[in-house]
């Protein structure tokens, strides 16, 4: 088994863990934070997939993913705080 | 086989959500439905050729059908536009409940 | 050379994934929201950064370096700023700190030490 | 000439962009809106002149090879539709200007984009491009629907947006299936494909199903009855003439070109459209406000129009196209005349209006003429439309459909008389009373009222009546001088029965 | 000249210093997560800073957040203060010292003169 | 001449309202004069038409495309009716000029003119479509005339209209059937070549439809009720309606179609039975009435019963009788109605019980009423006597079994005696007796001469024509010839010798006298219900039945909940899928290599995310999980070689989440609870649809080679467009119209978000009550956002640079205007999210202007294409730069337009949705007015 595959499995498993937190909470803050993890996981998955498939162009995708994570994190924080800035 | 299954799963979830009473659920259902149709469009181009239609970096012989990709790009934007608007409608009242009080 | 970089890249990536997994595992293990947030921060900061670094080592070029550095910057900003934003939001929303919390300076500063979310 | 076709899309979009930022002066904004509307009408008239003898003009956008470029095509059918839609857009714009609605900041740009979408959808010869233009006409409609800003508008808007999006998605799925099987979405290349391949037929079936939902065919008509009662009269009039009608146009075009009029499936259409006629008209009779009666009527009339394509004989198609044009004009006239009353007196409820025949003779004339036309009475266009359509049904041996059409026309008259008696003849329920909004009866679900602060006996201003009057006059003109429209419809039908001219124009260039 | 050199060395050394901080703190947290039970003594601690600019405050706050086991919860600009949640804050002063060490290193990079020697204490940095 | 007739009438009709502006009610004079002139014109052609047997014809094209023309034809039958229509019209209009109150009467004269035109057209039409047109025009005119008096007349007018239109539709159906069968619309041709009657089923169907039309139009049982109902109309209208127009149209139609149906048993039986039944019933009702106008109205029903029945007999003699009686009826009926009007006007009442002894005060009225009534009663030497005798004679010839004739004759005699009785009732109690007893006036006076002129002429005409009845021989003969039997000659006379019909006349008079004696007081029948139900009641029941059915049908869709509206199309899609998949089609072979192992990971990811998204009740969780599905979609795109799509998908995902969050914060945390049963139904529908979609994807896709157009793109894009990112070249070079449309959609989304929020107003509130004191350091937004603001300030330039890079390289690598715009938009999203307050976030750039400029740039780039011959055709040029030459294309300009638009829309969405209350300054005028309404409507909503 390719070591990158192991890494992929690890990241995907982490995302599943986070998904569990999203569903169970208990607080909205927990859900928000866990959601963030899922989006961070995207970065990892895309990067690892790029390594696995030998697709150099995923670098752009990774950049987009990180941006995704950043914006999402801030939005979720706003949501948790009920819109409070 | 895999792509059809994925499309089927997406559509199932989408339809279930679309039939709910909360506007946000309906919108999320439509987001899923949009994904499924986009995948269907790509599937329509054939999934046996999966090369990138970027002719500087990849040979044209392996490139996937670029036309559905262009279609999907257009469709994504349109769905996104309407999604924004639907969220506006969901926000434009106290609750996003679409059920009438009887 | 390239093989060495590649191997190093894979090592980095796997290490990153490991850190990521450990941090996320904290979501299940840790007692309160703030503690879980530390786990997440570890995953998003160190974990993801290692993976990205691995990616760069896999495809080393100036253009990629530029992008990956930008991505790393964004990712670290996310980990730090996002961590801060989430922590504050959680605090504002009244996430309870675990009873083990020793002291809540934030609540004291507000003059309502007994009521703040961090109060024991 | 051919290359100028896309201007019908480009100019309104440019105008919309300009009107979005142009804050004033008001006359300039109004003039811009009306000028572009009039320009499109003039262009449409020119196209009709050019195509009336059977010519088809096509233009490959960007001058790429056929099958690669998106073709813009105009034949008698599309030219006729462009002209009629342009007329409606212009007239409704005049109405909106007269009622002051056009001065809402984003009203004019939205109407212009809507018109661009309509022209694009009518002219394009590409299935995917059709999807895009349908969206271009739908999305501004969402805004126009809720721009009046009532809760009812938002609720109606939710139904409208969700159903439209579902339908568009279904349409797109159909396009995907067609591309998946046939490898092209260009109409010329798809000519007759559905008759040759059941797979293409199935894919196109999904497309047609989506179009039928957009056309509000029973049993997928409910959305129309809910959403078209919400917006302002001008907007409803505009929608009634454009949206469902573009879908109907597409059904005609696609069935003719891609299915080549395959007769084995027509019975389904005859059945469904007969039910549509009946359900729509019964629903109309049951309603209690002008707008909801008219909206249910639309459904019934859609059944009539689509019956033409379900017959798919030369006479049937001609009748259907004639009916289509007639209905667009008359329906808009009805919405505008009752809308004028609604705008001025603040309600469309039958039992809260009355006695307008004496007070508003011009309005009464505009309404009555259009109402009689809708019911298919001579000497209005509706009579010719009904006559030719039902004759075509008889000729084709569709006895039941013809019988239904006859009976439905009587119930149509019944519902029109309900409005007439309620609004124009019956005693004014508020005679001598204060003309403010009635207390209590105005629930959250009732259409918005605009009477607050209105003078006691306002009276409809002539400029507000004029649009409806013009359209009724057009209907009378198409009745007395029906030959013009019959010839055009016949030419349009000829290209649907024998699509070779159309297909050649699209493909060989 | 020596200050210039010292600053140069500080800049060069800084990533390694901070990297070490991140790795060790992560290891500690990771160990805590992976082993049963918990050795944590969490607390919200007020940390007055010597930073002046927004950039400096931001940098310190982010460094705190990026180190596993500590996260900045709230910020005040005048006087510059952070409220930090620490997982392993046995006593407040220990956590403050930890932050101030990082602040020293950072100010050593950003300022010609490095960080002021006197580390502020909560409540004595001046009223709001 | 025929065209002249029609044209003059049309001109009169159109001119009437204008003349009325000057003359008021006196307009009746000029109009009547024209009608009289036209009557004279027709009479002048009498010799030509009646004696010489010429047929006048005229034609104008109308709808040549379907072979329908404005064909007019005047034969003997048409001549007779034409004279009646025009002559009676002239009389009624003369009468109107005095009867109507002074002042503007434009509507009345217009409608009367149109009515005359319609009737004239009807009798002259030689095209069945044209016939129907005029037939319906009479209906419309009578509707408007009946409703003219005011609100109370509305309902009767509607009832009349609907019933007669129903009959009209029967006629229309017959017309269409005949047209389809014979291939022509020429009435004379259809009637001349009656080969179509050889198909018994068809003939019976058409005949039944025509009978239906006749019965409704002529107010025959059981449709008779509309005529008395229409009494609410003014007296001149009634006079014309009963004497010459409308009801006579039915008789005309029956006579016109006699040649075709004369031998059809259904035709004979139906007309005779319904006609005679109506004759008796109408007479009984007439006898019962106290109101003279009602009495006369029922008398019309009865008399038309005679006419319809006799046309049904169909023999030459019968048709002669019909022709003469039509004329006689016109004269006495118009006179009687006008007399009622005079009584009402002069004596203030029109009830038998209210009037008495008027003969002294109103001698002329008395005389003319008596003459008309006696004619109606069939007393010699009036014309009514002649026609009645002809009727009796004809009924004895009734076709069918041997007893038919005697029975019909007997019934006719009974009806005639009843006629005598009610005619007597009209005259005797009113004009004789102990002097005036009138409630309305103290001393009733005779009406002015001009008022009396018309009825006098009409009733005197009955006397004159009775005395000189042989004069009518050519008329009746010609009419009967044209109605059925060519070469029929009439022999009309007051004295035919001792014939059975004379006996019947005597019998009817004696019986009538007896009945008159018994019923003169009116007490015998008054107030009795002769029928269990009234026609109007039946009508109203039917009407409300249809209305209720309609309400039920409306209820099916009467909901603003999208669920039901959405379920219907979904179910239809499933049904379509079932139909397709059960049809056993040949799907072709699907290649083996289409699935890759890693695909399965994505399938698993999808399934988990979708299942969780469906099940969770937390809004936030659902949003996050749908986001995961979106990410999964992006990965699919990546796996399928669509890098641009993956990038776009991810960026769209970001912005969707941001916007969703802006909305979610206003809403409750959890979705509504859904009952288990409902969940099960939804799940069933969902699974069915999902299965259909999956099967559809499996069956319809991936089974063919690369499409030819795809081959074309892949092999030609670089040379033709200078771009190597084929997807991008499709977007901006090959199919930019799609992209322009997409761009328009996006920008409009920006506009409508603004418009909707500004007119509806977000009623948002915090959904979370924060438990932290505002004194806490964590509360202060300005201080606490310093970190993110600082970071964003540093990051933003990098993002903008990256986005410009993506824009510029789009043609040959992943990127392009849309992706670049999304990246820029994400940057602005950051600016928005990190700002310390809403007011600060409002980025000072005018976002609507940004959108508009983007669209303008894109369209402008498209218009540049006209330089090379086509809208949106990309132009290429080399731009010299220090290091060589850079390839520049208008496609890039187009892409830049997209970039601007996307940025503008994202700015709009973020700022508009982010605000607590939208910026009210935005719209002036109409919006300002709306505000008051918003407040009230939102205030009234629970
Ligand atoms: Na009313
Ligand atoms: Na940390």
């Amino acid at each position: 088994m390719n070591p990158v595959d192991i890494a992929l499995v690890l990241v995907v498993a982490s995302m599943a863990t986070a998904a569990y937190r999203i569903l169970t909470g208990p607080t909205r803050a927990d859900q928000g934070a866990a959601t963030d993890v899922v989006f961070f996981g995207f970065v990892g998955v895309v990067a690892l997939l790029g390594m696995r498939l030998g697709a150099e162009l995923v670098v752009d995708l990774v950049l987009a993913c990180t941006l995704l994570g950043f914006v999402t994190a801030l939005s979720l924080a706003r949501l948790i705080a009920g819109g409070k800035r | 086989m895999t792509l059809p299954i994925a499309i089927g799963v997406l559509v199932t979830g989408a339809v279930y959500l679309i039939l709910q009473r909360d506007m946000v659920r309906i919108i999320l259902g439509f987001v899923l439905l949009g994904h499924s149709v986009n995948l269907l469009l790509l599937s329509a181009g054939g999934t046996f050729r999966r090369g990138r239609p970027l002719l500087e970096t990849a040979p044209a012989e392996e490139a996937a059908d670029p036309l559905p990709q262009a279609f999907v790009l257009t469709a994504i934007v349109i769905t996104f536009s309407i999604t924004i608007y639907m969220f506006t409608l969901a926000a434009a009242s106290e609750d996003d409940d679409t059920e009438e009080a009887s | 050379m390239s093989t060495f970089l590649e191997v190093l890249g894979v090592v980095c990536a796997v290490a990153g994934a490991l850190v990521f997994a450990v941090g996320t595992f904290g979501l299940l293990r840790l007692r309160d929201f703030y503690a879980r947030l530390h786990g997440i921060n570890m995953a998003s900061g160190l974990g993801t950064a290692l993976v990205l670094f691995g990616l760069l080592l896999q495809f080393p070029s100036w253009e990629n370096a530029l992008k990956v550095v930008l991505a790393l910057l964004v990712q670290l900003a996310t980990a730090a700023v996002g961590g801060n934003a989430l922590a504050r939001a959680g605090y504002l929303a009244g996430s309870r700190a675990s009873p083990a919390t020793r002291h809540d300076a934030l609540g004291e500063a507000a003059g309502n030490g007994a009521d703040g979310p961090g109060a024991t | 000439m051919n290359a100028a076709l896309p201007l019908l899309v480009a100019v309104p979009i440019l105008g919309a962009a300009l009107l979005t930022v142009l804050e004033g002066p008001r006359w300039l904004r109004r003039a811009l809106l009306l000028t572009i509307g009039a320009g499109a009408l003039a262009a449409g008239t020119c196209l009709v002149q050019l195509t009336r003898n059977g010519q088809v003009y096509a233009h490959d956008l960007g001058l790429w090879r056929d099958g690669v470029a998106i073709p813009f095509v105009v034949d008698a059918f599309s030219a006729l539709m462009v002209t009629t839609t342009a007329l409606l857009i212009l007239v409704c714009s005049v109405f909106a200007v007269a009622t002051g609605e056009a001065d809402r900041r984003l009203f004019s740009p939205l109407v212009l984009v809507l018109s661009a979408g309509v022209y694009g959808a009518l002219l394009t010869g590409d299935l995917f491009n059709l999807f895009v233009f349908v969206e271009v006409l739908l999305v501004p409609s969402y805004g126009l629907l809720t721009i009046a800003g009532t809760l009812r508008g938002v609720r109606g808007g939710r139904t409208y947006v969700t159903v439209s999006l579902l339908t568009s998605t279904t349409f797109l799925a159909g396009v995907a299936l067609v591309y998946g099987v046939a490898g092209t979405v260009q109409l010329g290349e798809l000519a007759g494909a559905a008759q040759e391949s059941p797979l293409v037929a199935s894919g196109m079936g999904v497309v047609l199903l989506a179009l039928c939902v957009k056309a509000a065919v029973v049993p997928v008509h409910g959305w129309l009855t809910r959403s078209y009662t919400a917006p302002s009269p001008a907007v409803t009039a505009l929608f009634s003439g454009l949206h469902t009608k573009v879908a109907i146009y597409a059904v005609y075009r696609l069935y003719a070109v891609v299915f080549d009029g395959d007769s084995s499936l027509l019975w389904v259409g005859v059945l469904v459209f007969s039910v549509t006629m009946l359900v729509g008209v019964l629903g109309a009779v049951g309603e209690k406000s002008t707008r909801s009666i008219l909206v249910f009527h639309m459904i019934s009339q859609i059944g009539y129009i689509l019956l033409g394509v379900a017959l798919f004989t030369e006479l049937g198609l001609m009748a259907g196209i004639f009916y289509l044009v007639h209905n667009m004009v008359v329906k808009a006239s009805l919405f505008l005349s009752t809308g004028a009353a609604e705008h001025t007196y603040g309600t469309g409820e039958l039992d809260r209006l009355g006695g307008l025949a004496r007070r508003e003779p011009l309005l009464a004339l505009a309404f009555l003429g259009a109402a009689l036309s809708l019911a298919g009475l001579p000497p209005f266009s509706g009579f010719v439309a009904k006559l030719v359509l039902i004759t075509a049904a008889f000729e084709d041996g569709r006895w039941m459909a013809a019988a239904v059409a006859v009976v439905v026309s009587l119930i149509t008259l019944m519902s029109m008389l309900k409005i007439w008696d309620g609004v124009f003849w019956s005693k004014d329920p508020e005679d001598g009373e204060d003309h403010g909004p009635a207390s209590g009866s105005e629930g959250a679900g009732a259409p918005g009222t605009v009477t607050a602060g209105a003078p006691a006996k306002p009276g409809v201003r002539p400029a507000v009546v004029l649009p409806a009057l013009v359209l009724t006059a057009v209907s009378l003109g198409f009745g007395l001088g029906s030959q013009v429209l019959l010839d055009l419809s016949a030419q349009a039908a000829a290209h649907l029965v024998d699509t070779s001219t159309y297909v050649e124009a699209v493909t060989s260039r | 000249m020596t200050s210039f050199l010292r600053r140069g060395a500080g800049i060069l050394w800084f990533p390694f210093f901070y990297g070490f901080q991140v790795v060790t703190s992560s290891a500690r947290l990771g160990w805590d997560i992976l082993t049963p039970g918990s050795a944590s003594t969490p607390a919200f601690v007020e940390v007055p800073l010597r930073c002046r600019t927004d950039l400096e405050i931001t940098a310190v706050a982010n460094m705190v957040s990026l180190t596993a086991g500590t996260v900045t919860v709230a910020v005040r600009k005048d006087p510059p203060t952070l409220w930090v949640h620490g997982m392993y804050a046995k006593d407040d002063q220990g956590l403050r010292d930890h932050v101030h060490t990082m602040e020293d290193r950072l100010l050593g990079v950003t300022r010609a003169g490095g960080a002021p020697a006197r580390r502020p204490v909560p409540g004595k940095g001046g009223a709001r | 001449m025929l065209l002249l007739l029609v044209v003059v009438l049309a001109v009169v009709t159109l001119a009437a309202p204008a003349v009325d502006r000057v003359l008021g009610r006196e307009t009746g004079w000029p109009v009547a004069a024209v009608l009289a002139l036209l009557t004279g014109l027709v009479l002048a052609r009498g010799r030509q038409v009646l004696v010489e047997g010429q047929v006048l014809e005229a034609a104008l094209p109308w709808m040549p495309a379907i072979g329908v023309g404005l064909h007019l034809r005047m034969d003997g039958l048409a001549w007779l009716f034409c004279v009646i229509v025009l002559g009676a019209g002239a009389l009624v209009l003369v009468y109107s000029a005095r009867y109507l109150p002074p002042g503007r009467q434009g509507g009345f004269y217009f409608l009367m003119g149109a009515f005359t035109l319609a009737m004239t057209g009807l009798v002259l039409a030689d095209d069945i479509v044209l016939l129907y047109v005029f037939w319906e025009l009479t209906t419309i005119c009578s509707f408007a005339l009946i409703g003219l008096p005011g609100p109370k007349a509305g309902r009767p007018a509607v009832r009349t209209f609907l019933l007669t239109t129903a009959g009209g539709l029967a006629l229309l159906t017959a017309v269409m059937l005949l047209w389809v069968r014979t291939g022509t619309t020429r009435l004379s041709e259809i009637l001349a070549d009656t080969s179509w009657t050889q198909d018994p089923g068809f003939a019976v169907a058409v005949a039944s439809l025509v009978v239906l039309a006749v019965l409704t139009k002529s107010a025959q049982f059981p449709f008779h009720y509309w005529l008395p109902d229409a009494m609410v109309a003014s007296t001149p209208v009634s006079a014309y309606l009963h004497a010459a127009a409308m009801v006579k149209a039915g008789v005309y139609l029956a006579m016109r179609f006699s040649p075709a149906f004369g031998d059809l048993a259904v035709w004979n039986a139906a007309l005779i039975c319904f006609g005679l039944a109506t004759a008796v019933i109408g007479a009984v009702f007439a006898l019962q009435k106290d109101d003279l106008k009602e009495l006369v109205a029922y008398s019309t029903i009865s008399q038309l019963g005679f006419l319809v029945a006799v046309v049904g007999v169909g023999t030459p003699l019968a048709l002669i009788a019909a022709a003469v009686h039509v004329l006689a009826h016109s004269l006495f009926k118009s006179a009687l109605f006008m007399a009622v009007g005079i009584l009402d006007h002069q004596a203030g009442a029109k009830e038998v019980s209210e009037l008495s002894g008027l003969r002294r005060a109103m001698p002329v009225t008395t005389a003319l009423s008596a003459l008309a009534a006696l004619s109606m009663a069939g007393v010699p030497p009036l014309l009514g006597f002649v026609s009645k005798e002809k009727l009796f004679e004809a009924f004895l010839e009734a076709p069918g079994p041997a007893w038919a004739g005697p029975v019909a004759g007997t019934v006719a005699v009974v009806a005639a005696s009843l006629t005598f009785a009610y005619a007597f009732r009209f005259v005797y109690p009113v004009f004789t007796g102990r002097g005036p007893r009138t409630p309305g006036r103290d001393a009733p006076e005779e009406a002015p001469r001009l008022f009396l002129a018309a009825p006098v002429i009409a009733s005197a005409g009955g006397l004159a024509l009775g005395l000189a009845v042989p004069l009518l021989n050519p008329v009746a003969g010609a009419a009967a010839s044209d109605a059925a039997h060519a070469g029929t000659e009439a022999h009309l006379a007051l004295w035919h010798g001792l014939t059975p019909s004379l006996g019947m006349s005597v019998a009817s008079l004696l019986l009538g006298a007896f009945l008159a004696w018994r019923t003169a007081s009116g007490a015998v029948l008054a107030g009795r219900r002769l029928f269990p139900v009234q026609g109007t009641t039946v009508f109203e029941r039917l009407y409300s039945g249809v209305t209720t059915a309609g309400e039920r049908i409306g209820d099916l869709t009467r909901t603003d909940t999208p669920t039901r509206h959405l379920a219907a199309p979904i179910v239809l899609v499933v049904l379509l899928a079932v139909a397709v998949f059960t049809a056993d089609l040949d799907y072709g072979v699907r290649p083996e290599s289409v699935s890759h192992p890693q695909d399965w990971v994505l399938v698993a990811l999808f399934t988990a995310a979708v299942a969780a998204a469906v099940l969770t009740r937390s809004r936030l969780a659902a949003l996050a999980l749908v986001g995961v599905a979106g990410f999964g979609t992006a990965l699919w795109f990546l796996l399928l070689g669509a890098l641009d799509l993956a990038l776009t998908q991810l960026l769209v995902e970001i912005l969707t989440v941001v916007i969703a969050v802006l909305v979610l914060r206003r809403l409750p945390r959890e979705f509504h609870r859904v009952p288990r049963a409902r969940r099960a139904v939804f799940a069933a529908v969902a699974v069915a649809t999902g299965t259909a979609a999956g099967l559809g994807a499996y069956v319809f896709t991936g089974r063919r080679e690369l499409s030819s157009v795809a081959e074309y793109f892949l092999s030609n894009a670089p040379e033709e467009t200078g771009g190597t990112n084929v997807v991008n070249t499709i977007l901006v070079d090959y199919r930019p119209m799609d992209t322009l449309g997409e761009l328009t959609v996006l920008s409009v989304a920006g506009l409508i978000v603004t418009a909707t929020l500004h007119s509806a107003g977000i009623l948002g509130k915090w959904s979370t009550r924060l438990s932290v004191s505002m004194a806490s350091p964590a509360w202060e937004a300005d201080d606490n956002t310093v970190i993110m603001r600082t970071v964003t300030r540093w990051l933003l330039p990098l993002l903008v640079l990256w986005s410009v890079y993506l824009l510029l390289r789009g043609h040959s690598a992943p990127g392009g205007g849309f992706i670049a715009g999304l990246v820029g938009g994400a940057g602005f999203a950051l600016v928005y999210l990190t700002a310390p307050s809403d007011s600060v976030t409002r980025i000072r750039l005018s976002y609507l202007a940004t959108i508009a400029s983007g669209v303008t740039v894109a369209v402008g780039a498209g218009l540049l294409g006209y330089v090379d011959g086509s809208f949106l055709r990309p132009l290429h040029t080399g731009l010299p730069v220090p290091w060589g030459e850079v390839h520049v294309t208008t496609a890039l300009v187009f892409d830049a337009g997209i970039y601007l638009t996307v940025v503008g829309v994202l700015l709009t969405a973020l700022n508009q949705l982010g605000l607590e209350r939208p910026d009210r300054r935005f719209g002036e005028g109409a919006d300002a007015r709306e505000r008051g309404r918003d407040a009230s409507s939102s205030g009234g909503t629970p």
Side-chain angles (χ1 to χ4, degrees), chain F residues 92-420:
Chain F
V92 167
L93 284 164
V94 165
Y95 178 77
S96 306
R98 276 295 154 271
Y99 177 85
L100 296 174
R104 297 277 299 278
Q105 299 293 343
F108 174 82
Y109 287 116
F110 172 79
L111 288 170
M112 282 300 284
F115 209 173
T116 315
L117 170 65
M119 275 307 293
T120 310
L122 170 64
V123 300
L124 291 180
D126 188 34
D127 185 299
I128 45 174
V129 171
L130 192 64
L131 175 83
Y132 171 77
V133 167
F134 285 120
W135 177 276
E136 284 301 343
L137 275 182
T138 62
T139 308
I140 295 170
C141 291
S142 62
F143 163 71
L145 281 167
I146 295 169
L148 211 54
K152 266 185 293 178
R155 198 63 203 160
V158 167
R159 280 195 289 258
T160 303
F161 198 9
L162 284 176
L163 183 77
T164 46
T165 307
L169 286 174
L171 176 61
L172 177 65
T173 311
V175 163
M176 291 186 293
L177 287 174
L178 285 174
W179 180 11
V180 168
R181 174 59 70 103
T182 63
T184 176
T185 57
R186 285 294 287 273
L187 185 54
S188 46
E189 286 174 22
I190 291 173
L191 293 175
D193 172 24
T194 50
S195 56
W196 51 274
T197 50
Q198 301 313 307
D199 177 351
F202 182 78
V204 166
V206 175
S208 310
L209 289 166
V210 172
V211 166
L212 200 59
V214 168
L215 295 186
T216 50
K217 196 81 167 181
S218 288
Q220 297 296 289
F221 175 82
F223 308 113
H224 60 278
Y225 66 88
W226 72 259
L227 195 59
D229 208 19
M231 279 294 96
V232 292
S234 66
T235 300
V237 173
S238 299
Y240 195 49
L241 205 82
H242 289 241
M246 199 67 183
V247 291
K248 288 285 163 67
V251 177
Y252 169 78
L253 187 74
M255 292 179 83
R256 189 46 93 195
F257 273 94
S258 266
F261 300 128
D263 302 326
L264 220 56
V266 179
W267 172 264
N268 304 129
L271 290 186
I272 294 174
C273 291
F274 283 111
L276 282 178
T278 311
V280 174
I281 293 168
V284 171
F285 276 123
L287 198 52
Q288 191 192 16
K289 294 303 168 210
D290 185 40
D291 186 315
L292 284 176
K293 208 171 166 186
E294 285 182 24
L295 185 153
V296 179
Y298 278 105
S299 115
T300 304
I301 294 175
S302 176
Q303 297 300 317
L304 282 160
F306 278 119
L307 282 170
V308 166
V310 86
V311 175
V313 171
T315 59
L317 188 65
L319 291 164
I320 289 171
V324 181
H325 197 62
V326 163
L327 182 60
H329 178 252
S330 298
L331 291 171
F332 66 69
K333 191 49 57 68
S334 57
L336 285 175
F337 261 111
M338 292 190 269
V340 174
I342 290 172
L343 285 176
D344 200 11
H345 222 259
Q346 300 299 120
K350 52 185 173 40
E351 286 79 26
V352 177
S353 52
E354 301 279 340
L355 298 166
S356 177
L358 288 172
R359 70 178 186 284
R360 274 184 217 95
M362 305 174 70
V364 183
T365 312
T366 310
L368 77 91
S369 303
L371 270 181
L374 290 175
S375 181
M376 179 163 75
V379 174
L382 298 154
L383 186 59
F385 165 74
V386 181
S387 64
K388 185 79 47 95
E389 212 176 46
K390 283 286 160 197
L391 290 177
F392 290 150
E393 207 177 329
F395 282 125
L396 294 177
E397 293 183 355
W403 49 265
V407 169
T410 312
V411 175
V413 168
V414 170
S417 57
L418 287 164
T419 306
F420 184 91

Side-chain angles (χ1 to χ4, degrees), chain C residues 41, chain E residues 64-68 70:
Chain C
N41 264 355
Chain E
V64 167
S65 296
L66 276 176
T67 331
T70 52

Side-chain angles (χ1 to χ4, degrees), chain B residues 2 22 25 43-44 50 55 96 100, chain F residues 559-560 599 616 619 672 701 724:
Chain B
T2 44
D22 316 74
R25 267 191 164 167
S43 179
R50 293 186 174 192
L55 301 183
D96 69 337
E100 290 128 298
Chain F
T559 171
D560 279 333
D599 293 359
T616 181
R619 280 186 161 75
H672 295 88
T701 64
T724 52

